[in-house]
Amino acid sequence: MNSVTPENYLPNATDKMPCVSTYMDQMKRPSGLSPVLETAIMVEQILSEFRLKKEHLKEVMRRMMREMDRGLRVETHQEASVKMLPTYVCSTPEGSEVGDFLALDLGGTNFRVMLVKVGEDEERGWKVETKHQMYSIPQDAMTGTAEMLFDYIAECISDFLNRQHIKHKKLPLGFTFSFPVRHEDIDKGILLNWTKGFKASGAEGNNVVGLLRDAIKRRGDFEMDVVAMVNDTVATMISCYYEDRSCEVGMIVGTGCNACYMEEMRTVELVEGEEGKMCVNTEWGAFGANGELEEFRLEYDKVVDESSLNPGQQLYEKLISGKYMGELVRLVLVKLVNEELLFKGEASDLLKTRGSFETGYVSQIESDSGDRKQIYNILSTLGVLPSELDCDIVRLACESVSTRAAHMCGAGLAGVINRMRERRSQEALKITVGVDGSVYKLHPCFQHRFHKVVRELTPHCDITFIQSEEGSGRGAALISAVACKMAACMLTQ
């Protein structure tokens, strides 16, 4: 074995692996390495693959910006991996939009129906009150037919209206639909492809709002005026604009990962018009489809991709989002077991089972206070009885996967923000980013790691991050309010 130093093999590890730090001084002994320290060094060599240098992140950022440009241009839009979809959201709430609105939020395994009351407020221009109900989407609705899925959604709406005693009202409805959609207007969008485990047949290539309207009509026990459909990133941005008028970027890091921002109309070639701005849904989860990420994808990423419902698609999202993070950690742990570096070389049947290591475990393990009790309990539920060193190695594996996710995500957002600054020809850009999603909100270290990379890669920008509360629903309602007001203005002209 080559001569080693702690700095080369265990960067920042001494405060993360107490068992390892106990043996650090043995590296100075002429008799060589202890078994524990030798294990730690081999673990570090395996996990070091997840570490991205600043020049790597800059390259990811540059490639993201290049694909964004290609997505905006008519001649390169089709082959671009980042589709840069126009949303037809050109206006932001002014504060004079009031009324009751219904909001739907479909973007993962849970579906939310929300009643949003937008009223006037002397201090802030308007106030927003919400009531909501969560519904779990059955697997057969996710992977059956479009009719089954949208009939289930209509059933949930009917149940919610009954609970709120408002079934007699015909309310404007805003639909947050968090999948790749090509908008033809604010209330018309064609589903390009399902993501996040959905596979309902008969939906791709069809107008999503039309599918919802048809399901409501089939049910026949209530009426609803669907006035706007938006992506969850757009809803998040608009919701946070309510808090901070500098918010021009919306982002989700949860089951999926995506971002939107306000782009100069003159560069959105897919839509006519030169004046003002339009919100563009980047759909950056598909970044990598043209090979942009190949040198950064590891063996674990390839296994996750190949066993997913959409192999070869959403490659950037699969490096970051909560749908895949736990499985990536599980594959790393199995690799360490196979190398006889963990659990004495023996994995339980449960640990060998795909999907058994939940992404929530990653957050819980990295939240462990240092006594390892939380880590021990989680591993016990997976059928293994770990040593202290095992617990520390598992924590390092979680940190490696989640840190890479935060850094990769940060490189993408830095590309968006730097592009905004360049297009506006500003030496310095002051911008607010609205963020939602379970990974961003619940992981104990993701925000810090992510913010740090974004700021390092955007030296000429002053960035504020706002965490959205009920962003998807509230934002959809506010956009619906804007859409209703715009329609009313057009009728009076």
Side-chain angles (χ1 to χ4, degrees):
M1 183 179 287
N2 296 330
S3 61
V4 294
T5 66
E7 289 77 15
N8 288 336
Y9 281 89
L10 290 168
N12 302 320
T14 53
D15 61 337
K16 302 294 184 186
M17 293 180 66
C19 283
V20 174
S21 63
T22 306
Y23 294 90
M24 289 296 284
D25 61 343
Q26 293 196 29
M27 299 193 74
K28 301 172 185 176
R29 295 182 185 177
S31 58
L33 303 175
S34 75
V36 170
L37 192 50
E38 190 167 346
T39 295
I41 290 170
M42 294 173 72
V43 167
E44 166 60 23
Q45 287 174 322
I46 289 172
L47 297 182
S48 66
E49 287 188 297
F50 285 93
R51 234 160 265 138
L52 296 168
K53 297 179 180 177
K54 190 171 183 178
E55 52 264 36
H56 294 151
L57 296 173
K58 283 184 175 180
E59 183 59 27
V60 171
M61 178 185 75
R62 283 191 289 267
R63 293 180 190 182
M64 177 68 79
M65 293 172 74
R66 185 170 66 239
E67 286 302 301
M68 288 172 66
D69 283 335
R70 281 160 49 79
L72 285 169
R73 296 204 306 271
V74 170
E75 67 269 24
T76 52
H77 173 77
Q78 280 301 114
E79 61 260 30
S81 63
V82 182
K83 289 301 183 188
M84 306 295 283
L85 303 172
T87 66
Y88 289 82
V89 174
C90 301
S91 300
T92 48
E94 298 173 354
S96 56
E97 304 87 354
V98 296
D100 291 356
F101 302 87
L102 205 68
L104 312 183
D105 181 11
L106 177 65
T109 53
N110 291 318
F111 168 67
R112 185 167 57 160
V113 187
M114 181 182 293
L115 174 64
V116 183
K117 293 178 176 290
V118 183
E120 295 180 354
D121 184 283
E122 290 183 5
E123 292 182 8
R124 307 178 72 167
W126 75 87
K127 61 181 178 180
V128 181
E129 297 176 356
T130 61
K131 295 178 181 178
H132 73 270
Q133 182 73 36
M134 294 287 283
Y135 299 89
S136 181
I137 301 177
Q139 186 68 24
D140 60 351
M142 290 173 63
T143 57
T145 66
E147 191 170 296
M148 289 168 60
L149 176 61
F150 283 90
D151 280 351
Y152 176 75
I153 290 170
E155 180 185 333
C156 294
I157 297 171
S158 178
D159 175 74
F160 180 79
L161 295 175
N162 280 331
R163 288 170 183 258
Q164 300 299 324
H165 309 291
I166 53 172
K167 208 162 194 177
H168 59 287
K169 291 186 177 182
K170 184 179 180 180
L171 299 175
L173 184 150
F175 188 13
T176 300
F177 186 75
S178 307
F179 301 92
V181 166
R182 185 182 74 251
H183 274 269
E184 296 179 355
D185 207 331
I186 197 167
D187 67 344
K188 185 178 182 182
I190 308 302
L191 175 63
L192 299 178
N193 58 275
W194 286 117
T195 58
K196 295 179 278 193
F198 281 75
K199 273 292 179 185
S201 62
E204 293 178 351
N206 282 313
N207 175 20
V208 176
V209 172
L211 293 172
L212 176 61
R213 285 172 175 157
D214 289 346
I216 292 172
K217 190 178 293 183
R218 274 195 302 274
R219 186 166 183 88
D221 62 341
F222 65 90
E223 290 187 76
M224 206 58 56
D225 185 16
V226 186
V227 297
M229 181 178 73
V230 295
N231 184 271
D232 54 356
T233 59
V234 183
T236 294
M237 182 190 76
I238 294 296
S239 176
C240 290
Y241 179 86
Y242 164 67
E243 305 289 340
D244 182 339
R245 299 302 172 91
S246 299
C247 186
E248 292 189 82
V249 181
M251 186 174 162
I252 303 290
V253 195
T255 304
C257 182
N258 191 21
C260 72
Y261 71 103
M262 297 302 291
E263 175 62 89
E264 307 303 306
M265 271 293 291
R266 67 180 184 276
T267 68
V268 186
E269 294 185 8
L270 299 178
V271 178
E272 292 183 5
E274 296 286 323
E275 298 300 318
K277 300 172 186 174
M278 177 181 283
C279 183
V280 169
N281 168 20
T282 67
E283 283 298 336
W284 76 10
F287 179 56
N290 294 330
E292 308 94 325
L293 294 170
E294 280 315 293
E295 67 262 48
F296 305 111
R297 293 174 70 229
L298 306 178
E299 58 183 289
Y300 323 101
D301 302 308
K302 292 171 183 176
V303 172
V304 163
D305 177 46
E306 288 162 6
S307 60
S308 69
L309 286 172
N310 55 348
Q313 300 176 28
Q314 301 297 111
L315 297 181
Y316 183 61
E317 182 173 76
K318 286 170 181 170
L319 300 177
I320 298 168
S321 79
K323 182 167 180 61
Y324 308 100
M325 190 182 290
E327 179 63 7
L328 285 171
V329 171
R330 187 191 71 83
L331 292 169
V332 173
L333 299 184
V334 170
K335 163 91 168 185
L336 293 171
V337 169
N338 292 340
E339 297 287 332
E340 298 191 347
L341 300 171
L342 188 63
F343 309 141
K344 297 179 181 177
E346 295 182 9
S348 66
D349 289 341
L350 196 52
L351 188 60
K352 293 176 186 175
T353 304
R354 183 159 64 95
S356 62
F357 199 97
E358 300 171 11
T359 294
Y361 293 162
V362 181
S363 295
Q364 292 169 40
I365 285 169
E366 291 191 56
S367 299
D368 188 86
S369 60
D371 61 8
R372 306 182 187 86
K373 284 183 180 177
Q374 200 153 253
I375 304 173
Y376 184 90
N377 289 339
I378 289 170
L379 295 176
S380 297
T381 65
L382 291 169
V384 292
L385 296 177
S387 66
E388 287 189 348
L389 182 58
D390 287 334
C391 290
D392 294 333
I393 290 172
V394 169
R395 179 172 185 141
L396 271 185
C398 290
E399 288 177 352
S400 298
V401 172
S402 65
T403 298
R404 184 191 65 165
H407 289 177
M408 269 287 182
C409 193
L413 183 62
V416 171
I417 292 172
N418 281 330
R419 190 186 191 289
M420 293 175 76
R421 184 182 67 83
E422 290 173 8
R423 283 291 176 270
R424 297 177 186 186
S425 303
Q426 295 180 357
E427 285 189 22
L429 176 68
K430 182 176 174 59
I431 194 84
T432 296
V433 180
V435 196
D436 205 346
S438 54
V439 172
Y440 184 84
K441 287 182 171 181
L442 302 179
H443 189 282
C445 309
F446 189 93
Q447 286 189 31
H448 171 74
R449 297 166 184 164
F450 166 66
H451 294 172
K452 187 171 185 289
V453 164
V454 175
R455 290 183 170 123
E456 284 179 358
L457 298 179
T458 55
H460 304 291
C461 301
D462 178 5
I463 305 169
T464 300
F465 292 92
I466 293 182
Q467 186 168 296
S468 173
E469 298 299 331
E470 298 182 333
S472 292
R474 191 170 70 170
L478 290 169
I479 291 168
S480 298
V482 172
C484 289
K485 186 178 178 181
M486 288 171 62
C489 289
M490 290 177 68
L491 287 173
T492 59
Q493 288 178 357

